[in-house]
Amino acid sequence: MSEKRDYYEVLGLSKNATATEIKKAYRKLALKYHPDKNEGDTAAEDKFKEAAEAYEILSNAEKKQRYDQFGHAGMSGGAGGFGGGMDMDDIFSQFGDIFGGGGGGGSFGGGRGRARVVRGTNLRVKMKLTLQEIAEGVHKKIKVNKLVNADGVTYKDCQTCNGTGRITRVAQTFLGAMQTQSACNVCQGAGKMIDKKPSGADAHGLIRKEEVIEIDIPAGVEDGMQLSVSGKGNAGPFNGISGDLIVVIEEKNDENLRRDGEHLHYDAYVNFVDAVLGESIEIPTVSGKAKIKIEPGTQSGKVLRLKGKGLPVLQGYGKGDLFVHINVWTPKKVSKEEKVILEKLRESENFKPSPDHHDKGFFHRMKDMFQ
Ligand code: ZN
């Protein structure tokens, strides 16, 4: 598949275009490149389809949000991609709300003899991910229970519309007097009805079946985000197009690392001897254990910032950081011998707190921490 153009660019709009502007821009392009005006011009047809696809996404609040967040990656998720999902029938069924009139998925222009393809519903699943999976991105197999076309279903033409799926009228439109066609309300525009179906199949000839779907989760996703796998939802009635599979991301709590956007935080505990003399300690990261050096004379509350040890920025460049918060651990019990040593240390001049500019406490650190 060739590189897709940005949907806003296709419609000649900026990212903060309003719904009205999006509709207006699409209307203009749809008229310009409409097949009725550009017969046999495949370049125009491509532009027509490209604009329709852009509008399909940007006019739908949920899809628009996903696109704004993930770009084209969010629209495909799996291997298939959105690309092939939209044919002329879909585009003409979109015109009902763009050009008004023609009620319920009406198309205009006449001459296209095929009935409408009915779209299946979207399927939603939740997916729990660990921080490690989020850090690297992950390939997942999801078992879903979805509606598929049952074997052995036979169809017959809808009697109301004689199999055309449409009911034709002549109406005044901004293009002049035109035939407008609206979807047949008996067959929802499919032009078909179920003739025979096996037991277990519903009124649309669909049956539930377990299926395994593979999806690539990009690195850096967050709790609550939604990814869409085009065409992997429920099957469309009458062999129509399938809906989408919507994958809702849930982040598992990590026992050690706390997430803050692309940054991570970790509480490290060291005993005060290590804090005084310095020591190397092991800490967990999203990519396994790492060793860090505690400098001699480290204060409790010191924050070490490990550049690039956080999470990747979704749709962006680089990685966040890992903040290691040093906590000096105070023993709750000591032996007699230890007490003797400690009492001796207490008298030492070196053990009297005298923080200098770098070693100040909580309020000082809050100011400096995220600089
Ligand atoms: Zn019908």
PDB file of all heavy atoms in Angstrom, residues 19-53:
ATOM      1  N   ALA A  19     -16.282  20.823  12.756  1.00  0.00           N
ATOM      2  CA  ALA A  19     -17.096  19.824  12.056  1.00  0.00           C
ATOM      3  C   ALA A  19     -17.733  20.423  10.804  1.00  0.00           C
ATOM      4  O   ALA A  19     -17.804  19.791   9.748  1.00  0.00           O
ATOM      5  CB  ALA A  19     -18.157  19.276  13.003  1.00  0.00           C
ATOM      6  N   THR A  20     -18.163  21.669  10.921  1.00  0.00           N
ATOM      7  CA  THR A  20     -18.803  22.342   9.778  1.00  0.00           C
ATOM      8  C   THR A  20     -17.803  22.539   8.644  1.00  0.00           C
ATOM      9  O   THR A  20     -18.123  22.312   7.473  1.00  0.00           O
ATOM     10  CB  THR A  20     -19.353  23.717  10.219  1.00  0.00           C
ATOM     11  OG1 THR A  20     -19.990  23.557  11.481  1.00  0.00           O
ATOM     12  CG2 THR A  20     -20.317  24.273   9.201  1.00  0.00           C
ATOM     13  N   GLU A  21     -16.588  22.929   9.003  1.00  0.00           N
ATOM     14  CA  GLU A  21     -15.558  23.139   7.979  1.00  0.00           C
ATOM     15  C   GLU A  21     -15.202  21.823   7.282  1.00  0.00           C
ATOM     16  O   GLU A  21     -14.970  21.792   6.077  1.00  0.00           O
ATOM     17  CB  GLU A  21     -14.305  23.756   8.621  1.00  0.00           C
ATOM     18  CG  GLU A  21     -14.478  25.223   8.976  1.00  0.00           C
ATOM     19  CD  GLU A  21     -13.374  25.744   9.891  1.00  0.00           C
ATOM     20  OE1 GLU A  21     -12.674  24.936  10.531  1.00  0.00           O
ATOM     21  OE2 GLU A  21     -13.229  26.968   9.957  1.00  0.00           O
ATOM     22  N   ILE A  22     -15.157  20.758   8.065  1.00  0.00           N
ATOM     23  CA  ILE A  22     -14.838  19.445   7.512  1.00  0.00           C
ATOM     24  C   ILE A  22     -15.905  19.021   6.501  1.00  0.00           C
ATOM     25  O   ILE A  22     -15.609  18.581   5.392  1.00  0.00           O
ATOM     26  CB  ILE A  22     -14.692  18.398   8.659  1.00  0.00           C
ATOM     27  CG1 ILE A  22     -13.413  18.670   9.459  1.00  0.00           C
ATOM     28  CG2 ILE A  22     -14.687  16.978   8.109  1.00  0.00           C
ATOM     29  CD1 ILE A  22     -13.310  17.913  10.765  1.00  0.00           C
ATOM     30  N   LYS A  23     -17.141  19.220   6.895  1.00  0.00           N
ATOM     31  CA  LYS A  23     -18.265  18.856   6.027  1.00  0.00           C
ATOM     32  C   LYS A  23     -18.239  19.678   4.734  1.00  0.00           C
ATOM     33  O   LYS A  23     -18.407  19.158   3.636  1.00  0.00           O
ATOM     34  CB  LYS A  23     -19.571  19.112   6.792  1.00  0.00           C
ATOM     35  CG  LYS A  23     -20.777  18.405   6.235  1.00  0.00           C
ATOM     36  CD  LYS A  23     -21.897  18.432   7.262  1.00  0.00           C
ATOM     37  CE  LYS A  23     -23.089  17.656   6.775  1.00  0.00           C
ATOM     38  NZ  LYS A  23     -24.088  17.452   7.821  1.00  0.00           N
ATOM     39  N   LYS A  24     -17.990  20.970   4.906  1.00  0.00           N
ATOM     40  CA  LYS A  24     -17.987  21.882   3.770  1.00  0.00           C
ATOM     41  C   LYS A  24     -16.870  21.527   2.786  1.00  0.00           C
ATOM     42  O   LYS A  24     -17.077  21.490   1.580  1.00  0.00           O
ATOM     43  CB  LYS A  24     -17.760  23.312   4.301  1.00  0.00           C
ATOM     44  CG  LYS A  24     -18.673  24.341   3.653  1.00  0.00           C
ATOM     45  CD  LYS A  24     -18.573  25.645   4.404  1.00  0.00           C
ATOM     46  CE  LYS A  24     -18.622  26.823   3.446  1.00  0.00           C
ATOM     47  NZ  LYS A  24     -18.433  28.103   4.139  1.00  0.00           N
ATOM     48  N   ALA A  25     -15.690  21.256   3.342  1.00  0.00           N
ATOM     49  CA  ALA A  25     -14.536  20.934   2.493  1.00  0.00           C
ATOM     50  C   ALA A  25     -14.788  19.642   1.721  1.00  0.00           C
ATOM     51  O   ALA A  25     -14.467  19.530   0.537  1.00  0.00           O
ATOM     52  CB  ALA A  25     -13.289  20.794   3.359  1.00  0.00           C
ATOM     53  N   TYR A  26     -15.377  18.672   2.411  1.00  0.00           N
ATOM     54  CA  TYR A  26     -15.649  17.399   1.737  1.00  0.00           C
ATOM     55  C   TYR A  26     -16.693  17.564   0.641  1.00  0.00           C
ATOM     56  O   TYR A  26     -16.554  17.024  -0.454  1.00  0.00           O
ATOM     57  CB  TYR A  26     -16.105  16.342   2.747  1.00  0.00           C
ATOM     58  CG  TYR A  26     -16.544  15.059   2.070  1.00  0.00           C
ATOM     59  CD1 TYR A  26     -15.695  14.406   1.171  1.00  0.00           C
ATOM     60  CD2 TYR A  26     -17.801  14.522   2.295  1.00  0.00           C
ATOM     61  CE1 TYR A  26     -16.077  13.249   0.524  1.00  0.00           C
ATOM     62  CE2 TYR A  26     -18.206  13.360   1.655  1.00  0.00           C
ATOM     63  CZ  TYR A  26     -17.340  12.727   0.764  1.00  0.00           C
ATOM     64  OH  TYR A  26     -17.745  11.594   0.125  1.00  0.00           O
ATOM     65  N   ARG A  27     -17.729  18.329   0.932  1.00  0.00           N
ATOM     66  CA  ARG A  27     -18.788  18.582  -0.051  1.00  0.00           C
ATOM     67  C   ARG A  27     -18.199  19.135  -1.343  1.00  0.00           C
ATOM     68  O   ARG A  27     -18.548  18.704  -2.444  1.00  0.00           O
ATOM     69  CB  ARG A  27     -19.748  19.619   0.551  1.00  0.00           C
ATOM     70  CG  ARG A  27     -21.197  19.227   0.489  1.00  0.00           C
ATOM     71  CD  ARG A  27     -22.001  20.268   1.211  1.00  0.00           C
ATOM     72  NE  ARG A  27     -22.663  21.102   0.221  1.00  0.00           N
ATOM     73  CZ  ARG A  27     -23.957  21.329   0.235  1.00  0.00           C
ATOM     74  NH1 ARG A  27     -24.730  20.816   1.171  1.00  0.00           N
ATOM     75  NH2 ARG A  27     -24.510  22.072  -0.686  1.00  0.00           N
ATOM     76  N   LYS A  28     -17.291  20.090  -1.165  1.00  0.00           N
ATOM     77  CA  LYS A  28     -16.671  20.743  -2.314  1.00  0.00           C
ATOM     78  C   LYS A  28     -15.891  19.731  -3.157  1.00  0.00           C
ATOM     79  O   LYS A  28     -16.020  19.683  -4.382  1.00  0.00           O
ATOM     80  CB  LYS A  28     -15.715  21.837  -1.793  1.00  0.00           C
ATOM     81  CG  LYS A  28     -15.743  23.097  -2.627  1.00  0.00           C
ATOM     82  CD  LYS A  28     -14.954  24.199  -1.940  1.00  0.00           C
ATOM     83  CE  LYS A  28     -13.649  24.466  -2.662  1.00  0.00           C
ATOM     84  NZ  LYS A  28     -12.742  25.351  -1.927  1.00  0.00           N
ATOM     85  N   LEU A  29     -15.103  18.898  -2.480  1.00  0.00           N
ATOM     86  CA  LEU A  29     -14.284  17.903  -3.189  1.00  0.00           C
ATOM     87  C   LEU A  29     -15.162  16.818  -3.821  1.00  0.00           C
ATOM     88  O   LEU A  29     -14.900  16.371  -4.934  1.00  0.00           O
ATOM     89  CB  LEU A  29     -13.278  17.262  -2.222  1.00  0.00           C
ATOM     90  CG  LEU A  29     -12.150  18.173  -1.747  1.00  0.00           C
ATOM     91  CD1 LEU A  29     -11.334  17.475  -0.667  1.00  0.00           C
ATOM     92  CD2 LEU A  29     -11.233  18.560  -2.907  1.00  0.00           C
ATOM     93  N   ALA A  30     -16.200  16.403  -3.090  1.00  0.00           N
ATOM     94  CA  ALA A  30     -17.079  15.356  -3.605  1.00  0.00           C
ATOM     95  C   ALA A  30     -17.755  15.813  -4.888  1.00  0.00           C
ATOM     96  O   ALA A  30     -17.938  15.043  -5.832  1.00  0.00           O
ATOM     97  CB  ALA A  30     -18.119  14.988  -2.546  1.00  0.00           C
ATOM     98  N   LEU A  31     -18.106  17.084  -4.940  1.00  0.00           N
ATOM     99  CA  LEU A  31     -18.732  17.622  -6.154  1.00  0.00           C
ATOM    100  C   LEU A  31     -17.731  17.707  -7.299  1.00  0.00           C
ATOM    101  O   LEU A  31     -18.025  17.344  -8.432  1.00  0.00           O
ATOM    102  CB  LEU A  31     -19.280  19.025  -5.875  1.00  0.00           C
ATOM    103  CG  LEU A  31     -20.623  19.066  -5.151  1.00  0.00           C
ATOM    104  CD1 LEU A  31     -21.002  20.510  -4.854  1.00  0.00           C
ATOM    105  CD2 LEU A  31     -21.699  18.410  -6.011  1.00  0.00           C
ATOM    106  N   LYS A  32     -16.540  18.171  -6.953  1.00  0.00           N
ATOM    107  CA  LYS A  32     -15.499  18.357  -7.969  1.00  0.00           C
ATOM    108  C   LYS A  32     -15.110  17.025  -8.610  1.00  0.00           C
ATOM    109  O   LYS A  32     -14.938  16.924  -9.819  1.00  0.00           O
ATOM    110  CB  LYS A  32     -14.275  19.002  -7.312  1.00  0.00           C
ATOM    111  CG  LYS A  32     -13.184  19.381  -8.296  1.00  0.00           C
ATOM    112  CD  LYS A  32     -12.076  20.142  -7.582  1.00  0.00           C
ATOM    113  CE  LYS A  32     -10.911  20.412  -8.523  1.00  0.00           C
ATOM    114  NZ  LYS A  32      -9.750  20.922  -7.790  1.00  0.00           N
ATOM    115  N   TYR A  33     -14.968  15.999  -7.772  1.00  0.00           N
ATOM    116  CA  TYR A  33     -14.454  14.720  -8.280  1.00  0.00           C
ATOM    117  C   TYR A  33     -15.543  13.665  -8.459  1.00  0.00           C
ATOM    118  O   TYR A  33     -15.255  12.497  -8.669  1.00  0.00           O
ATOM    119  CB  TYR A  33     -13.370  14.189  -7.336  1.00  0.00           C
ATOM    120  CG  TYR A  33     -12.154  15.074  -7.285  1.00  0.00           C
ATOM    121  CD1 TYR A  33     -11.778  15.702  -6.094  1.00  0.00           C
ATOM    122  CD2 TYR A  33     -11.377  15.294  -8.425  1.00  0.00           C
ATOM    123  CE1 TYR A  33     -10.666  16.527  -6.042  1.00  0.00           C
ATOM    124  CE2 TYR A  33     -10.270  16.117  -8.381  1.00  0.00           C
ATOM    125  CZ  TYR A  33      -9.914  16.731  -7.186  1.00  0.00           C
ATOM    126  OH  TYR A  33      -8.807  17.541  -7.144  1.00  0.00           O
ATOM    127  N   HIS A  34     -16.791  14.078  -8.367  1.00  0.00           N
ATOM    128  CA  HIS A  34     -17.892  13.117  -8.487  1.00  0.00           C
ATOM    129  C   HIS A  34     -17.822  12.365  -9.821  1.00  0.00           C
ATOM    130  O   HIS A  34     -17.623  12.973 -10.869  1.00  0.00           O
ATOM    131  CB  HIS A  34     -19.219  13.855  -8.373  1.00  0.00           C
ATOM    132  CG  HIS A  34     -20.368  12.920  -8.151  1.00  0.00           C
ATOM    133  ND1 HIS A  34     -20.916  12.176  -9.161  1.00  0.00           N
ATOM    134  CD2 HIS A  34     -21.040  12.594  -7.023  1.00  0.00           C
ATOM    135  CE1 HIS A  34     -21.882  11.427  -8.667  1.00  0.00           C
ATOM    136  NE2 HIS A  34     -21.990  11.668  -7.369  1.00  0.00           N
ATOM    137  N   PRO A  35     -17.948  11.036  -9.787  1.00  0.00           N
ATOM    138  CA  PRO A  35     -17.833  10.228 -11.011  1.00  0.00           C
ATOM    139  C   PRO A  35     -18.793  10.669 -12.128  1.00  0.00           C
ATOM    140  O   PRO A  35     -18.479  10.522 -13.305  1.00  0.00           O
ATOM    141  CB  PRO A  35     -18.194   8.816 -10.536  1.00  0.00           C
ATOM    142  CG  PRO A  35     -17.906   8.813  -9.082  1.00  0.00           C
ATOM    143  CD  PRO A  35     -18.148  10.204  -8.590  1.00  0.00           C
ATOM    144  N   ASP A  36     -19.936  11.221 -11.757  1.00  0.00           N
ATOM    145  CA  ASP A  36     -20.876  11.697 -12.779  1.00  0.00           C
ATOM    146  C   ASP A  36     -20.276  12.820 -13.629  1.00  0.00           C
ATOM    147  O   ASP A  36     -20.656  13.022 -14.771  1.00  0.00           O
ATOM    148  CB  ASP A  36     -22.159  12.210 -12.125  1.00  0.00           C
ATOM    149  CG  ASP A  36     -23.057  11.049 -11.724  1.00  0.00           C
ATOM    150  OD1 ASP A  36     -22.650   9.887 -11.956  1.00  0.00           O
ATOM    151  OD2 ASP A  36     -24.135  11.302 -11.174  1.00  0.00           O
ATOM    152  N   LYS A  37     -19.363  13.551 -13.033  1.00  0.00           N
ATOM    153  CA  LYS A  37     -18.766  14.684 -13.752  1.00  0.00           C
ATOM    154  C   LYS A  37     -17.424  14.329 -14.362  1.00  0.00           C
ATOM    155  O   LYS A  37     -16.853  15.110 -15.105  1.00  0.00           O
ATOM    156  CB  LYS A  37     -18.538  15.851 -12.769  1.00  0.00           C
ATOM    157  CG  LYS A  37     -19.791  16.510 -12.284  1.00  0.00           C
ATOM    158  CD  LYS A  37     -19.352  17.617 -11.346  1.00  0.00           C
ATOM    159  CE  LYS A  37     -20.406  18.680 -11.209  1.00  0.00           C
ATOM    160  NZ  LYS A  37     -19.865  19.790 -10.424  1.00  0.00           N
ATOM    161  N   ASN A  38     -16.887  13.190 -13.983  1.00  0.00           N
ATOM    162  CA  ASN A  38     -15.531  12.825 -14.417  1.00  0.00           C
ATOM    163  C   ASN A  38     -15.506  11.399 -14.966  1.00  0.00           C
ATOM    164  O   ASN A  38     -14.683  10.582 -14.556  1.00  0.00           O
ATOM    165  CB  ASN A  38     -14.555  12.914 -13.243  1.00  0.00           C
ATOM    166  CG  ASN A  38     -14.488  14.291 -12.629  1.00  0.00           C
ATOM    167  OD1 ASN A  38     -13.778  15.155 -13.105  1.00  0.00           O
ATOM    168  ND2 ASN A  38     -15.263  14.491 -11.571  1.00  0.00           N
ATOM    169  N   GLU A  39     -16.393  11.102 -15.864  1.00  0.00           N
ATOM    170  CA  GLU A  39     -16.505   9.720 -16.323  1.00  0.00           C
ATOM    171  C   GLU A  39     -15.198   9.199 -16.904  1.00  0.00           C
ATOM    172  O   GLU A  39     -14.570   9.846 -17.730  1.00  0.00           O
ATOM    173  CB  GLU A  39     -17.629   9.605 -17.339  1.00  0.00           C
ATOM    174  CG  GLU A  39     -18.961   9.419 -16.624  1.00  0.00           C
ATOM    175  CD  GLU A  39     -19.951   8.624 -17.435  1.00  0.00           C
ATOM    176  OE1 GLU A  39     -19.688   7.429 -17.676  1.00  0.00           O
ATOM    177  OE2 GLU A  39     -20.960   9.214 -17.826  1.00  0.00           O
ATOM    178  N   GLY A  40     -14.814   8.036 -16.422  1.00  0.00           N
ATOM    179  CA  GLY A  40     -13.621   7.380 -16.962  1.00  0.00           C
ATOM    180  C   GLY A  40     -12.311   7.974 -16.474  1.00  0.00           C
ATOM    181  O   GLY A  40     -11.245   7.517 -16.843  1.00  0.00           O
ATOM    182  N   ASP A  41     -12.380   8.994 -15.640  1.00  0.00           N
ATOM    183  CA  ASP A  41     -11.159   9.630 -15.127  1.00  0.00           C
ATOM    184  C   ASP A  41     -10.764   8.951 -13.819  1.00  0.00           C
ATOM    185  O   ASP A  41     -11.329   9.222 -12.764  1.00  0.00           O
ATOM    186  CB  ASP A  41     -11.440  11.123 -14.919  1.00  0.00           C
ATOM    187  CG  ASP A  41     -10.203  11.870 -14.422  1.00  0.00           C
ATOM    188  OD1 ASP A  41      -9.218  11.206 -14.042  1.00  0.00           O
ATOM    189  OD2 ASP A  41     -10.239  13.109 -14.425  1.00  0.00           O
ATOM    190  N   THR A  42      -9.781   8.036 -13.885  1.00  0.00           N
ATOM    191  CA  THR A  42      -9.453   7.260 -12.683  1.00  0.00           C
ATOM    192  C   THR A  42      -8.746   8.114 -11.633  1.00  0.00           C
ATOM    193  O   THR A  42      -8.874   7.852 -10.437  1.00  0.00           O
ATOM    194  CB  THR A  42      -8.562   6.038 -13.017  1.00  0.00           C
ATOM    195  OG1 THR A  42      -7.421   6.490 -13.733  1.00  0.00           O
ATOM    196  CG2 THR A  42      -9.309   5.012 -13.815  1.00  0.00           C
ATOM    197  N   ALA A  43      -8.012   9.138 -12.094  1.00  0.00           N
ATOM    198  CA  ALA A  43      -7.347  10.027 -11.125  1.00  0.00           C
ATOM    199  C   ALA A  43      -8.405  10.734 -10.285  1.00  0.00           C
ATOM    200  O   ALA A  43      -8.273  10.876  -9.069  1.00  0.00           O
ATOM    201  CB  ALA A  43      -6.473  11.039 -11.851  1.00  0.00           C
ATOM    202  N   ALA A  44      -9.478  11.173 -10.949  1.00  0.00           N
ATOM    203  CA  ALA A  44     -10.571  11.843 -10.231  1.00  0.00           C
ATOM    204  C   ALA A  44     -11.245  10.864  -9.280  1.00  0.00           C
ATOM    205  O   ALA A  44     -11.601  11.221  -8.156  1.00  0.00           O
ATOM    206  CB  ALA A  44     -11.590  12.401 -11.224  1.00  0.00           C
ATOM    207  N   GLU A  45     -11.380   9.638  -9.725  1.00  0.00           N
ATOM    208  CA  GLU A  45     -12.021   8.637  -8.865  1.00  0.00           C
ATOM    209  C   GLU A  45     -11.181   8.386  -7.611  1.00  0.00           C
ATOM    210  O   GLU A  45     -11.720   8.270  -6.509  1.00  0.00           O
ATOM    211  CB  GLU A  45     -12.211   7.330  -9.645  1.00  0.00           C
ATOM    212  CG  GLU A  45     -13.050   6.328  -8.852  1.00  0.00           C
ATOM    213  CD  GLU A  45     -13.330   5.038  -9.627  1.00  0.00           C
ATOM    214  OE1 GLU A  45     -13.619   5.124 -10.830  1.00  0.00           O
ATOM    215  OE2 GLU A  45     -13.251   3.967  -8.995  1.00  0.00           O
ATOM    216  N   ASP A  46      -9.862   8.344  -7.797  1.00  0.00           N
ATOM    217  CA  ASP A  46      -8.981   8.168  -6.632  1.00  0.00           C
ATOM    218  C   ASP A  46      -9.127   9.323  -5.653  1.00  0.00           C
ATOM    219  O   ASP A  46      -9.187   9.134  -4.448  1.00  0.00           O
ATOM    220  CB  ASP A  46      -7.519   8.052  -7.090  1.00  0.00           C
ATOM    221  CG  ASP A  46      -7.248   6.707  -7.762  1.00  0.00           C
ATOM    222  OD1 ASP A  46      -8.103   5.806  -7.621  1.00  0.00           O
ATOM    223  OD2 ASP A  46      -6.210   6.576  -8.432  1.00  0.00           O
ATOM    224  N   LYS A  47      -9.177  10.531  -6.198  1.00  0.00           N
ATOM    225  CA  LYS A  47      -9.332  11.724  -5.350  1.00  0.00           C
ATOM    226  C   LYS A  47     -10.682  11.663  -4.626  1.00  0.00           C
ATOM    227  O   LYS A  47     -10.785  12.036  -3.450  1.00  0.00           O
ATOM    228  CB  LYS A  47      -9.302  12.996  -6.217  1.00  0.00           C
ATOM    229  CG  LYS A  47      -7.966  13.243  -6.852  1.00  0.00           C
ATOM    230  CD  LYS A  47      -7.280  14.426  -6.182  1.00  0.00           C
ATOM    231  CE  LYS A  47      -5.998  14.758  -6.895  1.00  0.00           C
ATOM    232  NZ  LYS A  47      -4.951  15.178  -5.978  1.00  0.00           N
ATOM    233  N   PHE A  48     -11.678  11.226  -5.343  1.00  0.00           N
ATOM    234  CA  PHE A  48     -13.028  11.105  -4.790  1.00  0.00           C
ATOM    235  C   PHE A  48     -13.018  10.133  -3.610  1.00  0.00           C
ATOM    236  O   PHE A  48     -13.549  10.425  -2.530  1.00  0.00           O
ATOM    237  CB  PHE A  48     -13.938  10.595  -5.915  1.00  0.00           C
ATOM    238  CG  PHE A  48     -15.407  10.538  -5.557  1.00  0.00           C
ATOM    239  CD1 PHE A  48     -16.131  11.701  -5.299  1.00  0.00           C
ATOM    240  CD2 PHE A  48     -16.074   9.319  -5.519  1.00  0.00           C
ATOM    241  CE1 PHE A  48     -17.480  11.650  -4.997  1.00  0.00           C
ATOM    242  CE2 PHE A  48     -17.426   9.255  -5.222  1.00  0.00           C
ATOM    243  CZ  PHE A  48     -18.127  10.426  -4.956  1.00  0.00           C
ATOM    244  N   LYS A  49     -12.352   9.010  -3.805  1.00  0.00           N
ATOM    245  CA  LYS A  49     -12.284   7.998  -2.745  1.00  0.00           C
ATOM    246  C   LYS A  49     -11.434   8.482  -1.561  1.00  0.00           C
ATOM    247  O   LYS A  49     -11.770   8.232  -0.409  1.00  0.00           O
ATOM    248  CB  LYS A  49     -11.673   6.699  -3.290  1.00  0.00           C
ATOM    249  CG  LYS A  49     -12.639   5.905  -4.145  1.00  0.00           C
ATOM    250  CD  LYS A  49     -11.983   4.623  -4.625  1.00  0.00           C
ATOM    251  CE  LYS A  49     -12.960   3.734  -5.371  1.00  0.00           C
ATOM    252  NZ  LYS A  49     -12.293   2.637  -6.079  1.00  0.00           N
ATOM    253  N   GLU A  50     -10.357   9.157  -1.897  1.00  0.00           N
ATOM    254  CA  GLU A  50      -9.454   9.651  -0.850  1.00  0.00           C
ATOM    255  C   GLU A  50     -10.190  10.657   0.053  1.00  0.00           C
ATOM    256  O   GLU A  50     -10.101  10.594   1.282  1.00  0.00           O
ATOM    257  CB  GLU A  50      -8.246  10.314  -1.515  1.00  0.00           C
ATOM    258  CG  GLU A  50      -7.106  10.607  -0.556  1.00  0.00           C
ATOM    259  CD  GLU A  50      -5.962  11.379  -1.215  1.00  0.00           C
ATOM    260  OE1 GLU A  50      -6.220  12.149  -2.180  1.00  0.00           O
ATOM    261  OE2 GLU A  50      -4.815  11.240  -0.771  1.00  0.00           O
ATOM    262  N   ALA A  51     -10.936  11.545  -0.590  1.00  0.00           N
ATOM    263  CA  ALA A  51     -11.688  12.558   0.166  1.00  0.00           C
ATOM    264  C   ALA A  51     -12.762  11.894   1.019  1.00  0.00           C
ATOM    265  O   ALA A  51     -12.983  12.267   2.172  1.00  0.00           O
ATOM    266  CB  ALA A  51     -12.310  13.567  -0.798  1.00  0.00           C
ATOM    267  N   ALA A  52     -13.409  10.878   0.434  1.00  0.00           N
ATOM    268  CA  ALA A  52     -14.481  10.188   1.162  1.00  0.00           C
ATOM    269  C   ALA A  52     -13.924   9.486   2.389  1.00  0.00           C
ATOM    270  O   ALA A  52     -14.536   9.501   3.464  1.00  0.00           O
ATOM    271  CB  ALA A  52     -15.170   9.183   0.247  1.00  0.00           C
ATOM    272  N   GLU A  53     -12.759   8.906   2.235  1.00  0.00           N
ATOM    273  CA  GLU A  53     -12.153   8.208   3.372  1.00  0.00           C
ATOM    274  C   GLU A  53     -11.775   9.202   4.469  1.00  0.00           C
ATOM    275  O   GLU A  53     -12.033   8.976   5.654  1.00  0.00           O
ATOM    276  CB  GLU A  53     -10.916   7.441   2.901  1.00  0.00           C
ATOM    277  CG  GLU A  53     -10.312   6.594   4.014  1.00  0.00           C
ATOM    278  CD  GLU A  53      -9.043   5.858   3.586  1.00  0.00           C
ATOM    279  OE1 GLU A  53      -9.025   5.308   2.473  1.00  0.00           O
ATOM    280  OE2 GLU A  53      -8.084   5.851   4.372  1.00  0.00           O
TER     281      GLU A  53
END
